[in-house]
C-alpha cells in the first residue's frame, strides 16, 4: 500500500525543537490537519514529510522506502506539497 510514514521523527530549527519522536502513518484517502500558532514549525514539518527538509533524526518513508533513498524525480511524482509562501 502506498502510504507515507514518519518514524521517530525529530526536527529542529536552530535551538527550537519543532517535532520530537513523531511516529505516524498517513494512508491514502485520509485527511490530516496540523494546527498551531505562527512560527512553531508547521511548514517545516510538512517540508520534512515531503522530503524537502532534512530532519535532525528519524526517517520519513513512502511505500516503505526511505525518502532519502528515492530519486528526486520519483519522489516528486509521488508526493506533492503546495506551501502558502515561498520561504527559501
Amino acid at each position: 500500500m502506498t502510504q507515507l510514514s514518519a518514524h521517530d521523527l525529530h526536527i529542529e530549527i536552530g535551538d527550537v525543537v519543532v517535532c520530537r519522536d513523531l511516529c505516524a502513518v498517513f494512508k491514502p484517502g485520509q485527511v490530516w490537519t496540523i494546527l498551531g500558532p505562527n512560527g512553531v514549525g508547521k511548514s517545516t514539518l510538512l517540508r520534512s514529510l515531503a522530503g524537502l527538509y532534512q530532519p535532525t533524526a528519524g526517517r520519513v518513508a513512502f511505500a516503505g522506502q526511505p525518502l532519502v533513498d528515492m530519486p528526486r524525480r520519483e519522489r516528486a511524482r509521488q508526493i506533492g506539497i503546495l506551501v502558502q509562501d515561498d520561504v527559501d
Side-chain angles (χ1 to χ4, degrees), residues 32-86:
W32 288 69
T33 303
I34 300 172
L35 300 173
N38 291 342
V40 297
K42 299 178 299 291
S43 295
T44 303
L45 172 59
L46 288 175
R47 283 184 171 90
S48 297
L49 291 172
L52 302 174
Y53 186 89
Q54 186 66 34
T56 309
R59 70 181 178 99
V60 178
F62 181 79
Q65 181 179 6
L67 284 186
V68 296
D69 295 344
M70 287 180 78
R72 190 175 187 138
R73 181 171 284 203
E74 179 61 23
R75 192 173 62 218
R77 283 189 191 121
Q78 300 295 335
I79 300 170
I81 181 171
L82 177 62
V83 293
Q84 190 172 10
D85 297 317
D86 186 18

Side-chain angles (χ1 to χ4, degrees), residues 2-55:
T2 56
Q3 61 189 22
L4 185 69
S5 56
H7 306 273
D8 300 318
L9 203 62
H10 187 91
I11 303 167
E12 294 179 5
I13 304 172
D15 317 354
V16 179
V17 175
V18 171
C19 175
R20 180 179 294 129
D21 301 327
L22 175 67
C23 293
V25 176
F26 307 96
K27 297 180 181 179
Q30 291 182 328
V31 177
W32 288 69
T33 303
I34 300 172
L35 300 173
N38 291 342
V40 297
K42 299 178 299 291
S43 295
T44 303
L45 172 59
L46 288 175
R47 283 184 171 90
S48 297
L49 291 172
L52 302 174
Y53 186 89
Q54 186 66 34

